[in-house]
Amino acid sequence: MPSMGSKAVLLLAALGFAAAVPTGEVKRDVHQLFARGQSWDASCDRVIPGSPEKKKYKDKLSKAFADAGTLAQVAQNEKDGSGKSFTDSTAFSHYFGDGDKDTAKQMLQAIYNDRIPDDGNHSGEGYTIKVKCGSDQDDACGTSVLAATSPKPGDTTMVFCDRFFKADTKETKQDLDSKGKGDKRGQWCQSGEQFPFFEVAGLTVFHEMTHLHVVGQQAGLSSRPDPDGFNSAGTVDVYVQGDDDDKKHYKNMDPWKAARTLRTLWKANEDDSKNYKPTTKTIENAESYAAAALEFYFLNVCMWDVIEPK
């Protein structure tokens, strides 16, 4: 990323769908967490353009960071509608293989560690994210970009672009409190809905946090060469990473759909080594973690056991 002196990791939008199928009673309450691991740039104190409530960038992002922590907390501690934990659920198997369980658990803890004070008193687990707001803060922001994060070691800068804050951006216009947790029409657990119905701004924040070197390190990911000349343990975006032959497998897909496709390709290769072998591991893809955590959150809240397609 030009303004960070390192390569940017971008969260882009494409097209794709999945449906949710209820299998039991609705769970009415989920514990909420509140973020305290951010260092806010002055740009985040500005009012969001066009906000009728004069809401500031920081107001929306504070809730999004809190929701990202809630997704991590629920995946660590709760069960789905069939009584299964995160790593035994369909939310996990949609994106990962059995050999990824330990890394996925460590990533959830790394995301949650954003709540730990960065004061040297917690075994070095706490870290502070430097947050900037608005597309004027970095050249990497564009009309289709939600956020850009530096994967460079020692840098925890995240820039949230104008599109993240627009009221009509489907990926970020909602938070976990935008709907009630019942199964009536207009509530989160109404039947027959597809993956985009459940997207919240915290999903994007979760995704971006995994790009950070410190988060990847805490999750146990190995450092890998970055085109800008440094090694980073941060995750990548499978639809950006790799050569043209690899990226064509994820063309025009939403990040969550590309993440599911990545797992499907790996499963096919595991079954028969003659099948295509992706260049990116599932544990190295940002959206794999974020989408899995979001799916599990709603499996828990709604007492479901799958978000379609299976």
Side-chain angles (χ1 to χ4, degrees), residues 10-14 144-147 163 171 207-208 237 239-240 253-255:
L10 310 179
L11 181 59
L12 308 174
S144 64
V145 180
L146 294 171
R163 186 166 176 267
E171 296 90 348
H207 174 120
E208 292 300 313
D237 292 323
Y239 43 87
V240 175
M253 291 183 182
D254 269 339

Side-chain angles (χ1 to χ4, degrees), residues 11-12 144-148 159-164 169 171-172 204:
L11 181 59
L12 308 174
S144 64
V145 180
L146 294 171
V159 178
F160 291 88
C161 307
D162 289 348
R163 186 166 176 267
F164 181 94
T169 300
E171 296 90 348
T172 57
T204 295

Side-chain angles (χ1 to χ4, degrees), residues 291-306:
L294 183 74
E295 283 194 23
F296 190 79
Y297 175 85
F298 286 106
L299 295 186
N300 169 256
V301 169
C302 301
M303 288 288 97
W304 295 337
D305 64 7
V306 69

Side-chain angles (χ1 to χ4, degrees), residues 81-99:
S82 297
K84 295 180 179 179
S85 64
F86 172 66
T87 53
D88 291 322
S89 72
T90 58
F92 180 85
S93 63
H94 280 162
Y95 302 96
F96 298 102
D98 287 342

Side-chain angles (χ1 to χ4, degrees), residues 61-272:
L61 274 173
S62 293
K63 174 57 176 167
F65 272 100
D67 282 356
T70 296
L71 297 180
Q73 187 266 346
V74 169
Q76 284 181 303
N77 298 297
E78 304 296 340
K79 306 290 184 182
D80 69 6
S82 297
K84 295 180 179 179
S85 64
F86 172 66
T87 53
D88 291 322
S89 72
T90 58
F92 180 85
S93 63
H94 280 162
Y95 302 96
F96 298 102
D98 287 342
D100 300 331
K101 289 185 176 183
D102 288 344
T103 303
K105 289 177 181 178
Q106 289 170 186
M107 180 61 79
L108 293 173
Q109 184 61 48
I111 297 298
Y112 184 81
N113 283 349
D114 181 45
R115 274 85 197 132
I116 298 175
D118 185 12
D119 57 11
N121 295 323
H122 298 83
S123 303
E125 293 178 337
Y127 55 89
T128 300
I129 299 173
K130 301 174 184 177
V131 184
K132 295 184 178 182
C133 303
S135 293
D136 60 346
Q137 298 301 301
D138 200 277
D139 293 339
C141 285
T143 57
S144 64
V145 180
L146 294 171
T149 297
S150 172
K152 188 175 183 179
D155 190 357
T156 57
T157 304
M158 298 172 66
V159 178
F160 291 88
C161 307
D162 289 348
R163 186 166 176 267
F164 181 94
F165 301 97
K166 290 184 176 180
D168 61 350
T169 300
K170 67 180 182 66
E171 296 90 348
T172 57
K173 66 181 181 181
Q174 302 184 117
D175 60 50
L176 293 180
D177 295 330
S178 293
K179 296 181 175 69
K181 297 183 176 70
D183 57 5
K184 296 179 180 178
R185 300 308 297 175
Q187 296 182 318
W188 279 124
C189 303
Q190 66 182 47
S191 62
E193 293 301 333
Q194 302 172 331
F195 188 97
F197 177 82
F198 303 102
E199 288 184 298
V200 294
L203 172 69
T204 295
V205 169
F206 194 120
H207 174 120
E208 292 300 313
M209 289 174 70
T210 71
H211 286 319
L212 294 170
H213 173 74
V214 64
V215 172
Q217 271 192 322
Q218 291 189 14
L221 296 179
S222 60
S223 291
R224 303 170 306 282
D226 183 277
D228 282 353
F230 55 83
N231 291 333
S232 176
T235 61
V236 298
D237 292 323
V238 69
Y239 43 87
V240 175
Q241 185 77 358
D243 56 26
D244 291 341
D245 183 58
D246 191 60
K247 287 188 288 188
K248 71 181 182 182
H249 292 279
Y250 320 106
K251 187 177 180 180
N252 296 328
M253 291 183 182
D254 269 339
W256 70 269
K257 186 65 174 178
R260 283 198 183 192
T261 299
L262 176 64
R263 173 55 194 152
T264 299
L265 290 171
W266 272 110
K267 180 64 168 61
N269 179 263
E270 291 162 4
D271 293 341
D272 185 346

